Coordinates of all heavy atoms in Angstrom, one line a residue:
M1 N 0.8 -1.2 0.0 CA 0.0 0.0 0.0 C 0.8 1.3 0.0 O 1.8 1.4 0.7 CB -0.9 0.0 1.3 CG -2.2 -0.7 1.1 SD -3.5 0.6 0.9 CE -4.9 -0.5 1.0
A2 N 0.5 2.2 -0.8 CA 1.2 3.4 -0.8 C 0.9 4.2 0.5 O -0.2 4.0 1.1 CB 0.7 4.3 -2.0
K3 N 1.8 5.0 0.9 CA 1.5 5.7 2.1 C 0.4 6.8 1.8 O 0.4 7.4 0.7 CB 2.7 6.4 2.7 CG 3.7 7.0 1.7 CD 4.8 7.5 2.5 CE 5.8 8.2 1.5 NZ 6.8 9.0 2.1
R4 N -0.4 7.0 2.7 CA -1.6 7.8 2.4 C -1.5 9.3 2.9 O -1.1 10.1 2.2 CB -2.8 7.1 2.9 CG -3.0 5.9 2.1 CD -4.1 5.0 2.7 NE -5.4 5.7 2.7 CZ -6.4 5.3 3.4 NH1 -6.3 4.3 4.2 NH2 -7.6 5.9 3.3
W5 N -1.9 9.5 4.1 CA -2.0 10.9 4.5 C -0.7 11.4 5.0 O -0.5 11.7 6.1 CB -3.1 11.1 5.6 CG -4.3 10.5 5.1 CD1 -4.8 9.2 5.4 CD2 -5.3 11.1 4.3 NE1 -6.0 9.0 4.7 CE2 -6.3 10.1 4.0 CE3 -5.4 12.4 3.7 CZ2 -7.4 10.4 3.2 CZ3 -6.5 12.6 2.9 CH2 -7.5 11.7 2.7
D6 N 0.2 11.5 4.0 CA 1.6 11.9 4.3 C 1.6 13.4 4.6 O 1.5 14.2 3.7 CB 2.4 11.5 3.1 CG 3.9 11.6 3.5 OD1 4.2 11.9 4.6 OD2 4.7 11.6 2.5
G7 N 1.8 13.7 5.8 CA 1.8 15.0 6.3 C 2.1 16.2 5.4 O 1.1 16.9 4.9
R8 N 3.3 16.5 5.2 CA 3.6 17.8 4.6 C 3.1 18.1 3.2 O 2.4 19.1 2.9 CB 5.1 18.1 4.7 CG 5.2 19.6 5.1 CD 6.6 20.2 5.0 NE 7.4 19.6 4.0 CZ 8.7 19.7 4.0 NH1 9.3 20.3 5.0 NH2 9.4 19.2 3.1
P9 N 3.3 17.2 2.2 CA 2.8 17.5 0.9 C 1.3 17.6 0.9 O 0.8 18.4 0.1 CB 3.3 16.2 0.1 CG 4.3 15.6 0.9 CD 4.1 15.9 2.3
Y10 N 0.7 16.8 1.7 CA -0.8 16.9 1.7 C -1.2 18.2 2.3 O -2.2 18.8 1.8 CB -1.3 15.7 2.6 CG -2.8 15.7 2.6 CD1 -3.6 15.5 1.4 CD2 -3.5 16.0 3.8 CE1 -4.9 15.5 1.4 CE2 -4.9 16.0 3.8 CZ -5.6 15.7 2.6 OH -7.0 15.8 2.6
R11 N -0.6 18.7 3.2 CA -0.9 20.0 3.8 C -0.7 21.1 2.8 O -1.5 22.1 2.8 CB -0.2 20.2 5.1 CG -1.2 20.4 6.3 CD -0.5 20.5 7.6 NE -0.2 19.2 8.2 CZ 0.7 18.9 9.0 NH1 1.6 19.9 9.4 NH2 0.9 17.7 9.6
T12 N 0.4 21.0 2.1 CA 0.6 21.9 1.0 C -0.5 22.0 0.0 O -1.0 23.0 -0.4 CB 1.9 21.6 0.3 OG1 3.0 21.5 1.3 CG2 2.3 22.7 -0.7
L13 N -1.0 20.8 -0.3 CA -2.1 20.7 -1.3 C -3.3 21.3 -0.7 O -4.0 22.1 -1.4 CB -2.4 19.2 -1.6 CG -3.6 19.0 -2.4 CD1 -3.3 19.4 -3.9 CD2 -4.0 17.5 -2.4
C14 N -3.6 21.1 0.6 CA -4.8 21.7 1.2 C -4.7 23.2 1.1 O -5.7 23.9 0.8 CB -4.9 21.2 2.7 SG -5.3 19.5 2.9
A15 N -3.5 23.7 1.4 CA -3.3 25.1 1.4 C -3.6 25.7 0.0 O -4.1 26.8 -0.1 CB -1.9 25.5 1.9
E16 N -3.1 24.9 -1.0 CA -3.3 25.4 -2.3 C -4.8 25.4 -2.7 O -5.3 26.4 -3.3 CB -2.6 24.4 -3.3 CG -2.3 25.0 -4.6 CD -1.4 24.0 -5.4 OE1 -0.3 23.7 -4.9 OE2 -1.8 23.7 -6.5
V17 N -5.5 24.4 -2.4 CA -6.9 24.3 -2.7 C -7.7 25.4 -2.0 O -8.5 26.1 -2.5 CB -7.5 22.9 -2.3 CG1 -9.0 22.9 -2.5 CG2 -6.9 21.8 -3.0
R18 N -7.2 25.6 -0.7 CA -7.8 26.7 0.1 C -7.6 28.1 -0.6 O -8.5 28.9 -0.6 CB -7.1 26.7 1.4 CG -7.9 26.8 2.6 CD -7.0 26.8 3.8 NE -7.7 27.5 4.9 CZ -8.2 26.9 6.0 NH1 -8.1 25.6 6.1 NH2 -8.8 27.6 6.9
R19 N -6.4 28.2 -1.1 CA -6.1 29.5 -1.7 C -6.9 29.8 -3.0 O -7.1 30.9 -3.3 CB -4.6 29.5 -2.0 CG -4.0 30.9 -1.9 CD -2.5 30.9 -2.2 NE -1.8 29.8 -1.6 CZ -1.0 29.0 -2.3 NH1 -0.8 29.2 -3.6 NH2 -0.4 28.0 -1.7
R20 N -7.3 28.7 -3.6 CA -8.1 28.9 -4.8 C -9.4 29.5 -4.5 O -10.1 30.1 -5.3 CB -8.4 27.5 -5.5 CG -7.1 26.9 -6.1 CD -7.4 25.9 -7.2 NE -8.1 24.7 -6.6 CZ -7.8 23.5 -6.9 NH1 -6.9 23.2 -7.8 NH2 -8.5 22.4 -6.4
G21 N -9.9 29.3 -3.2 CA -11.1 29.9 -2.8 C -12.4 29.4 -3.5 O -13.4 30.1 -3.6
D22 N -12.3 28.1 -4.0 CA -13.4 27.6 -4.7 C -14.6 27.3 -3.7 O -14.4 27.0 -2.5 CB -13.1 26.2 -5.3 CG -12.1 26.4 -6.5 OD1 -12.0 27.5 -7.0 OD2 -11.4 25.4 -6.8
P23 N -15.8 27.4 -4.2 CA -16.9 27.0 -3.4 C -16.9 25.4 -3.3 O -16.2 24.8 -4.0 CB -18.2 27.4 -4.2 CG -17.7 27.6 -5.6 CD -16.2 27.9 -5.6
C24 N -17.7 25.0 -2.4 CA -17.9 23.5 -2.2 C -18.3 22.9 -3.5 O -19.3 23.2 -4.1 CB -18.9 23.2 -1.1 SG -19.3 21.5 -0.9
W25 N -17.5 21.9 -4.0 CA -17.9 21.3 -5.3 C -19.1 20.3 -5.2 O -19.6 19.9 -6.1 CB -16.7 20.6 -5.8 CG -16.4 19.2 -5.3 CD1 -15.8 18.9 -4.1 CD2 -16.6 17.9 -5.9 NE1 -15.7 17.6 -3.9 CE2 -16.1 16.9 -5.1 CE3 -17.1 17.6 -7.2 CZ2 -16.2 15.6 -5.4 CZ3 -17.1 16.2 -7.5 CH2 -16.7 15.2 -6.6
L26 N -19.5 20.0 -3.9 CA -20.6 19.1 -3.8 C -21.9 19.8 -3.7 O -22.9 19.4 -4.2 CB -20.4 18.3 -2.5 CG -19.2 17.3 -2.6 CD1 -18.9 16.8 -1.2 CD2 -19.5 16.2 -3.6
C27 N -22.0 21.0 -3.1 CA -23.2 21.7 -2.9 C -23.2 23.1 -3.6 O -24.2 23.7 -3.8 CB -23.6 21.9 -1.5 SG -22.7 23.1 -0.6
G28 N -22.0 23.5 -4.0 CA -21.9 24.8 -4.7 C -21.9 26.1 -3.9 O -21.8 27.2 -4.4
H29 N -22.0 25.9 -2.6 CA -21.9 27.1 -1.7 C -20.5 27.4 -1.3 O -19.7 26.6 -1.2 CB -22.8 26.8 -0.5 CG -24.3 26.8 -0.8 ND1 -25.0 27.9 -1.1 CD2 -25.1 25.7 -0.9 CE1 -26.3 27.5 -1.4 NE2 -26.3 26.2 -1.3
D30 N -20.4 28.7 -1.0 CA -19.1 29.1 -0.5 C -18.7 28.5 0.8 O -19.5 28.1 1.6 CB -19.1 30.7 -0.3 CG -19.0 31.4 -1.6 OD1 -18.6 30.8 -2.6 OD2 -19.5 32.5 -1.7
I31 N -17.4 28.4 1.0 CA -16.9 27.8 2.3 C -16.2 28.9 3.1 O -15.4 29.6 2.6 CB -15.9 26.7 2.0 CG1 -16.5 25.6 1.1 CG2 -15.3 26.1 3.3 CD1 -15.6 24.5 0.7
D32 N -16.7 29.0 4.3 CA -16.1 30.0 5.2 C -14.8 29.4 5.8 O -14.8 28.5 6.6 CB -17.1 30.3 6.4 CG -16.6 31.4 7.2 OD1 -15.4 31.8 7.2 OD2 -17.4 32.0 8.0
L33 N -13.7 30.0 5.3 CA -12.4 29.4 5.7 C -12.0 29.8 7.1 O -11.0 29.3 7.6 CB -11.3 29.9 4.7 CG -11.5 29.5 3.2 CD1 -10.4 30.2 2.4 CD2 -11.4 28.0 3.1
T34 N -12.7 30.6 7.7 CA -12.4 31.0 9.1 C -13.0 30.1 10.1 O -12.7 30.2 11.3 CB -12.8 32.5 9.4 OG1 -14.2 32.5 9.3 CG2 -12.2 33.4 8.3
L35 N -13.8 29.2 9.7 CA -14.5 28.3 10.7 C -13.6 27.4 11.3 O -12.6 26.9 10.7 CB -15.7 27.6 10.0 CG -16.9 28.4 9.6 CD1 -17.8 27.5 8.8 CD2 -17.6 29.0 10.8
D36 N -13.9 27.0 12.5 CA -13.2 26.0 13.2 C -13.2 24.7 12.4 O -14.2 24.3 11.8 CB -13.8 25.7 14.6 CG -13.0 24.8 15.4 OD1 -13.2 23.6 15.2 OD2 -12.3 25.2 16.3
P37 N -12.0 24.0 12.3 CA -12.0 22.7 11.5 C -13.0 21.7 11.9 O -13.3 20.8 11.1 CB -10.6 22.2 11.8 CG -9.8 23.4 12.3 CD -10.8 24.3 12.9
R38 N -13.5 21.8 13.1 CA -14.5 20.8 13.5 C -15.9 21.2 13.2 O -16.9 20.5 13.4 CB -14.4 20.5 15.0 CG -13.3 19.6 15.4 CD -12.9 19.7 16.8 NE -12.6 21.1 17.2 CZ -12.1 21.4 18.4 NH1 -12.1 20.5 19.3 NH2 -11.8 22.7 18.6
H39 N -16.1 22.4 12.7 CA -17.4 22.9 12.3 C -17.8 22.1 11.1 O -17.0 21.9 10.2 CB -17.3 24.4 12.0 CG -18.6 25.0 11.8 ND1 -19.4 24.9 10.7 CD2 -19.3 25.9 12.7 CE1 -20.5 25.6 10.9 NE2 -20.5 26.2 12.0
P40 N -19.1 21.8 11.0 CA -19.7 21.0 9.9 C -19.5 21.7 8.5 O -19.4 21.0 7.5 CB -21.1 20.8 10.2 CG -21.3 21.2 11.6 CD -20.2 22.0 12.1
L41 N -19.4 23.0 8.6 CA -19.3 23.7 7.3 C -17.9 24.2 7.0 O -17.6 25.1 6.2 CB -20.3 24.9 7.2 CG -21.7 24.5 7.2 CD1 -22.6 25.8 7.2 CD2 -22.0 23.7 6.0
S42 N -16.9 23.7 7.8 CA -15.6 24.1 7.6 C -15.0 23.5 6.3 O -15.6 22.6 5.7 CB -14.7 23.7 8.8 OG -14.7 22.3 8.9
F43 N -13.8 24.0 5.9 CA -13.2 23.5 4.7 C -12.5 22.2 4.8 O -11.8 21.9 5.8 CB -12.1 24.6 4.4 CG -11.2 24.2 3.3 CD1 -11.5 24.5 2.0 CD2 -10.0 23.5 3.5 CE1 -10.6 24.2 0.9 CE2 -9.1 23.2 2.5 CZ -9.5 23.5 1.2
T44 N -12.8 21.3 3.9 CA -12.0 20.1 3.8 C -11.6 19.9 2.3 O -12.2 20.5 1.4 CB -12.8 18.8 4.2 OG1 -13.9 18.7 3.4 CG2 -13.2 18.9 5.7
V45 N -10.7 19.0 2.1 CA -10.3 18.7 0.7 C -10.9 17.3 0.4 O -10.7 16.4 1.1 CB -8.8 18.6 0.5 CG1 -8.4 18.0 -0.8 CG2 -8.2 20.0 0.7
D46 N -11.6 17.3 -0.7 CA -12.2 16.0 -1.1 C -11.5 15.6 -2.4 O -11.0 16.5 -3.1 CB -13.7 16.2 -1.4 CG -14.4 14.9 -1.6 OD1 -14.0 13.9 -1.1 OD2 -15.5 14.9 -2.3
H47 N -11.6 14.3 -2.7 CA -10.9 13.9 -3.9 C -12.0 13.5 -5.0 O -12.9 12.7 -4.7 CB -10.0 12.7 -3.6 CG -8.8 13.2 -2.9 ND1 -8.7 13.2 -1.5 CD2 -7.6 13.7 -3.3 CE1 -7.5 13.7 -1.2 NE2 -6.9 14.0 -2.2
L48 N -11.8 14.0 -6.2 CA -12.6 13.8 -7.3 C -12.7 12.3 -7.6 O -13.7 11.7 -7.6 CB -12.1 14.5 -8.5 CG -13.1 15.1 -9.5 CD1 -14.1 15.9 -8.8 CD2 -12.3 16.0 -10.5
L49 N -11.5 11.7 -7.8 CA -11.4 10.3 -7.9 C -10.9 9.7 -6.6 O -9.8 10.1 -6.2 CB -10.5 10.0 -9.1 CG -10.3 8.5 -9.4 CD1 -11.6 7.8 -9.8 CD2 -9.2 8.3 -10.5
P50 N -11.7 8.9 -6.0 CA -11.2 8.4 -4.7 C -9.9 7.7 -4.7 O -9.6 7.1 -5.7 CB -12.4 7.4 -4.3 CG -13.5 7.8 -5.1 CD -13.0 8.4 -6.4
L51 N -9.2 7.9 -3.7 CA -7.8 7.2 -3.6 C -7.9 5.7 -3.8 O -7.1 5.1 -4.4 CB -7.2 7.6 -2.3 CG -7.2 9.0 -1.8 CD1 -6.4 9.2 -0.6 CD2 -6.6 9.9 -2.9
S52 N -9.1 5.2 -3.3 CA -9.2 3.7 -3.4 C -9.4 3.3 -4.9 O -9.3 2.1 -5.2 CB -10.5 3.3 -2.6 OG -11.6 4.0 -3.1
R53 N -9.6 4.2 -5.7 CA -9.8 3.9 -7.1 C -8.6 4.4 -8.0 O -8.8 4.7 -9.2 CB -11.1 4.4 -7.7 CG -12.2 3.9 -6.9 CD -13.3 3.2 -7.7 NE -14.5 3.9 -7.5 CZ -15.2 4.4 -8.5 NH1 -14.8 4.3 -9.7 NH2 -16.4 4.9 -8.2
G54 N -7.6 4.7 -7.3 CA -6.4 5.1 -8.1 C -6.2 6.6 -8.2 O -5.4 7.1 -8.9
G55 N -7.1 7.4 -7.5 CA -7.0 8.8 -7.5 C -5.7 9.3 -6.8 O -5.2 8.6 -5.9
S56 N -5.2 10.4 -7.3 CA -3.9 10.8 -6.7 C -4.2 11.7 -5.5 O -4.9 12.7 -5.6 CB -3.1 11.6 -7.7 OG -2.0 12.2 -7.1
L57 N -3.6 11.4 -4.4 CA -3.8 12.2 -3.2 C -3.2 13.6 -3.3 O -3.8 14.5 -2.8 CB -3.1 11.4 -2.0 CG -2.9 12.2 -0.7 CD1 -4.3 12.4 -0.1 CD2 -2.1 11.4 0.3
L58 N -2.1 13.7 -4.0 CA -1.4 15.0 -4.0 C -1.6 15.8 -5.3 O -1.0 16.8 -5.5 CB 0.0 14.8 -3.7 CG 0.3 14.1 -2.4 CD1 1.8 13.8 -2.2 CD2 -0.2 15.0 -1.3
D59 N -2.4 15.3 -6.2 CA -2.6 16.0 -7.5 C -3.7 17.1 -7.3 O -4.9 16.8 -7.0 CB -3.1 15.0 -8.5 CG -3.3 15.7 -9.9 OD1 -3.1 16.9 -10.0 OD2 -3.6 15.0 -10.9
P60 N -3.3 18.3 -7.5 CA -4.3 19.4 -7.3 C -5.5 19.3 -8.2 O -6.6 19.7 -7.8 CB -3.5 20.7 -7.7 CG -2.0 20.3 -7.6 CD -2.0 18.8 -7.8
A61 N -5.3 18.7 -9.3 CA -6.4 18.5 -10.2 C -7.4 17.5 -9.7 O -8.6 17.5 -10.2 CB -5.9 18.1 -11.6
N62 N -7.0 16.7 -8.8 CA -7.9 15.7 -8.2 C -8.5 16.2 -6.9 O -9.3 15.5 -6.3 CB -7.2 14.4 -8.0 CG -8.1 13.2 -7.7 OD1 -9.2 13.1 -8.3 ND2 -7.8 12.3 -6.8
A63 N -8.1 17.3 -6.5 CA -8.5 17.8 -5.2 C -9.6 18.9 -5.4 O -9.5 19.7 -6.2 CB -7.4 18.4 -4.4
R64 N -10.6 18.8 -4.6 CA -11.7 19.8 -4.6 C -12.0 20.2 -3.2 O -12.0 19.5 -2.3 CB -13.0 19.1 -5.2 CG -12.9 18.8 -6.7 CD -13.0 20.1 -7.5 NE -12.9 19.9 -8.9 CZ -11.8 19.6 -9.6 NH1 -10.7 19.6 -9.0 NH2 -11.9 19.4 -10.9
A65 N -12.4 21.5 -3.1 CA -12.8 22.0 -1.8 C -14.2 21.5 -1.5 O -15.1 21.4 -2.4 CB -12.8 23.6 -1.9
A66 N -14.4 21.2 -0.3 CA -15.8 20.7 0.1 C -16.0 21.0 1.6 O -15.1 21.1 2.4 CB -15.9 19.2 -0.1
H67 N -17.3 21.3 1.9 CA -17.6 21.4 3.3 C -17.4 20.1 4.0 O -17.6 19.0 3.4 CB -19.1 21.7 3.5 CG -19.5 23.1 2.9 ND1 -20.3 23.3 1.9 CD2 -19.1 24.3 3.3 CE1 -20.5 24.6 1.6 NE2 -19.7 25.2 2.5
R68 N -17.1 20.1 5.3 CA -16.9 18.9 6.0 C -18.2 18.1 6.0 O -18.1 16.9 5.7 CB -16.5 19.3 7.5 CG -16.6 18.1 8.4 CD -16.1 18.5 9.8 NE -14.7 18.8 9.7 CZ -13.7 17.9 9.6 NH1 -14.0 16.7 9.5 NH2 -12.5 18.3 9.6
S69 N -19.3 18.7 6.2 CA -20.5 18.0 6.2 C -20.9 17.3 4.8 O -21.3 16.2 4.8 CB -21.7 18.9 6.7 OG -21.9 19.9 5.8
C70 N -20.6 18.1 3.8 CA -20.9 17.6 2.4 C -20.0 16.4 2.1 O -20.4 15.4 1.6 CB -20.7 18.6 1.4 SG -21.9 20.0 1.5
N71 N -18.8 16.6 2.5 CA -17.8 15.5 2.3 C -18.2 14.2 3.0 O -18.2 13.2 2.4 CB -16.4 16.0 2.8 CG -15.3 15.2 2.2 OD1 -15.5 14.1 1.7 ND2 -14.1 15.8 2.3
S72 N -18.6 14.3 4.2 CA -18.9 13.1 5.0 C -20.2 12.6 4.6 O -20.5 11.4 4.6 CB -18.8 13.4 6.5 OG -19.7 14.3 6.9
R73 N -21.1 13.5 4.2 CA -22.4 13.0 3.7 C -22.3 12.1 2.5 O -22.9 11.1 2.3 CB -23.4 14.2 3.5 CG -24.8 13.8 3.5 CD -25.7 14.9 3.2 NE -25.3 16.1 3.9 CZ -25.3 17.4 3.4 NH1 -25.7 17.6 2.2 NH2 -25.0 18.4 4.1
K74 N -21.4 12.7 1.6 CA -21.2 12.0 0.4 C -20.5 10.6 0.7 O -20.9 9.6 0.1 CB -20.2 12.8 -0.5 CG -19.7 12.1 -1.7 CD -18.6 12.9 -2.3 CE -17.6 11.9 -3.0 NZ -16.2 12.3 -2.8
G75 N -19.6 10.7 1.6 CA -18.9 9.4 2.0 C -19.9 8.4 2.5 O -19.7 7.2 2.2
N76 N -20.9 8.8 3.2 CA -21.9 7.9 3.7 C -22.8 7.4 2.7 O -23.2 6.2 2.7 CB -22.7 8.5 4.8 CG -21.9 8.8 6.1 OD1 -20.8 8.3 6.2 ND2 -22.3 9.7 6.9
R77 N -23.2 8.3 1.8 CA -24.2 7.9 0.8 C -23.7 7.0 -0.3 O -24.3 6.1 -0.7 CB -24.8 9.2 0.2 CG -26.1 8.8 -0.4 CD -26.6 10.0 -1.3 NE -26.7 11.3 -0.7 CZ -26.4 12.4 -1.2 NH1 -25.9 12.4 -2.5 NH2 -26.5 13.5 -0.6
V78 N -22.5 7.4 -0.8 CA -22.0 6.7 -1.9 C -21.1 5.6 -1.4 O -19.9 5.8 -1.1 CB -21.2 7.7 -2.8 CG1 -20.7 6.9 -4.0 CG2 -22.0 8.9 -3.2
A79 N -21.6 4.4 -1.4 CA -20.8 3.3 -1.0 C -19.9 2.9 -2.2 O -20.3 3.0 -3.3 CB -21.7 2.1 -0.7
P80 N -18.7 2.6 -1.9 CA -17.7 2.4 -2.9 C -18.1 1.5 -4.0 O -17.8 1.7 -5.2 CB -16.5 1.7 -2.1 CG -16.7 2.1 -0.7 CD -18.2 2.4 -0.5
R81 N -19.0 0.5 -3.7 CA -19.4 -0.4 -4.8 C -20.5 0.0 -5.6 O -20.8 -0.6 -6.7 CB -19.7 -1.7 -4.1 CG -18.6 -2.7 -4.3 CD -18.8 -4.0 -3.6 NE -17.7 -4.3 -2.8 CZ -17.7 -5.0 -1.7 NH1 -18.8 -5.5 -1.3 NH2 -16.6 -5.2 -1.0
T82 N -21.3 1.0 -5.2 CA -22.4 1.4 -6.0 C -22.2 2.6 -6.9 O -23.1 3.1 -7.5 CB -23.6 1.7 -5.0 OG1 -23.2 2.7 -4.1 CG2 -24.0 0.5 -4.2
V83 N -21.0 3.1 -6.9 CA -20.7 4.3 -7.7 C -20.4 3.9 -9.2 O -19.4 3.4 -9.5 CB -19.5 5.0 -7.2 CG1 -19.4 6.4 -7.9 CG2 -19.6 5.3 -5.7
G84 N -21.4 4.1 -10.0 CA -21.2 4.0 -11.5 C -20.5 2.7 -11.9 O -20.5 1.7 -11.1
P85 N -20.0 2.7 -13.1 CA -19.4 1.4 -13.6 C -18.1 1.2 -12.8 O -17.2 2.1 -12.8 CB -19.1 1.8 -15.0 CG -19.8 3.0 -15.3 CD -20.0 3.7 -14.0
A86 N -18.0 0.2 -12.1 CA -16.9 0.0 -11.1 C -15.5 -0.1 -11.7 O -14.6 0.4 -11.1 CB -17.2 -1.3 -10.3
S87 N -15.4 -0.6 -12.9 CA -14.1 -0.8 -13.4 C -13.6 0.3 -14.4 O -12.6 0.2 -15.1 CB -14.0 -2.1 -14.1 OG -15.0 -2.1 -15.2
R88 N -14.4 1.4 -14.4 CA -14.0 2.5 -15.3 C -12.7 3.1 -15.0 O -12.4 3.4 -13.9 CB -15.1 3.5 -15.3 CG -14.8 4.7 -16.2 CD -16.1 5.2 -16.7 NE -15.9 6.4 -17.4 CZ -16.9 7.3 -17.6 NH1 -18.0 7.1 -17.0 NH2 -16.7 8.3 -18.4
R89 N -11.9 3.3 -16.0 CA -10.6 3.9 -15.8 C -10.5 5.3 -16.4 O -11.1 5.5 -17.4 CB -9.5 3.1 -16.4 CG -9.4 1.7 -15.8 CD -8.1 1.1 -16.1 NE -7.6 0.4 -14.9 CZ -6.4 0.7 -14.5 NH1 -5.6 1.5 -15.1 NH2 -6.0 0.1 -13.4
W90 N -9.8 6.2 -15.8 CA -9.7 7.6 -16.2 C -8.4 7.8 -16.8 O -7.4 7.5 -16.2 CB -10.0 8.5 -15.1 CG -11.3 8.4 -14.6 CD1 -11.8 7.4 -13.7 CD2 -12.5 9.2 -14.9 NE1 -13.1 7.6 -13.4 CE2 -13.6 8.6 -14.1 CE3 -12.7 10.3 -15.7 CZ2 -14.8 9.2 -14.2 CZ3 -14.0 10.8 -15.8 CH2 -15.0 10.3 -15.0
Ligands
ZN101 ZN1 -21.0 21.9 0.6

């Protein structure tokens, strides 16, 4: 297994996504970057193509800004096996 949440590069990526100031890619609303990280509407980085499917953890093109709540809601709703054609490659 590749190492996953490898501290520094990942944090750099987060900072970069944050700097872009994009709205949440899941609900389309702005993200208040000043909120406490534990706040449901705080900023998180979500991955367009999940890491479990070969998505790159550190590729800015694969990273999207998302609210914490949207991110986790999506995680709950979309079970890995029920998302589209399972074997599709990008
Ligand atoms: Zn959202």
Side-chain angles (χ1 to χ4, degrees):
M1 270 255 189
K3 43 180 179 166
R4 293 170 64 196
W5 306 96
D6 189 11
R8 223 190 29 200
Y10 181 66
R11 241 175 271 156
T12 307
L13 175 73
C14 289
E16 198 173 308
V17 175
R18 225 181 153 107
R19 215 179 317 128
R20 294 200 293 222
D22 292 339
C24 171
W25 80 285
L26 295 167
C27 74
H29 291 284
D30 286 339
I31 302 176
D32 186 344
L33 299 175
T34 64
L35 290 173
D36 184 278
R38 280 163 302 183
H39 191 285
L41 292 179
S42 65
F43 170 91
T44 61
V45 170
D46 190 28
H47 289 91
L48 212 51
L49 180 62
L51 310 185
S52 57
R53 302 232 239 128
S56 171
L57 171 65
L58 299 175
D59 182 358
N62 193 38
R64 289 287 181 279
H67 293 115
R68 170 174 293 287
S69 63
C70 292
N71 198 342
S72 60
R73 201 181 313 140
K74 172 194 150 216
N76 292 342
R77 197 196 303 145
V78 184
R81 258 176 230 152
T82 57
V83 189
S87 59
R88 179 146 174 204
R89 297 196 136 234
W90 298 81

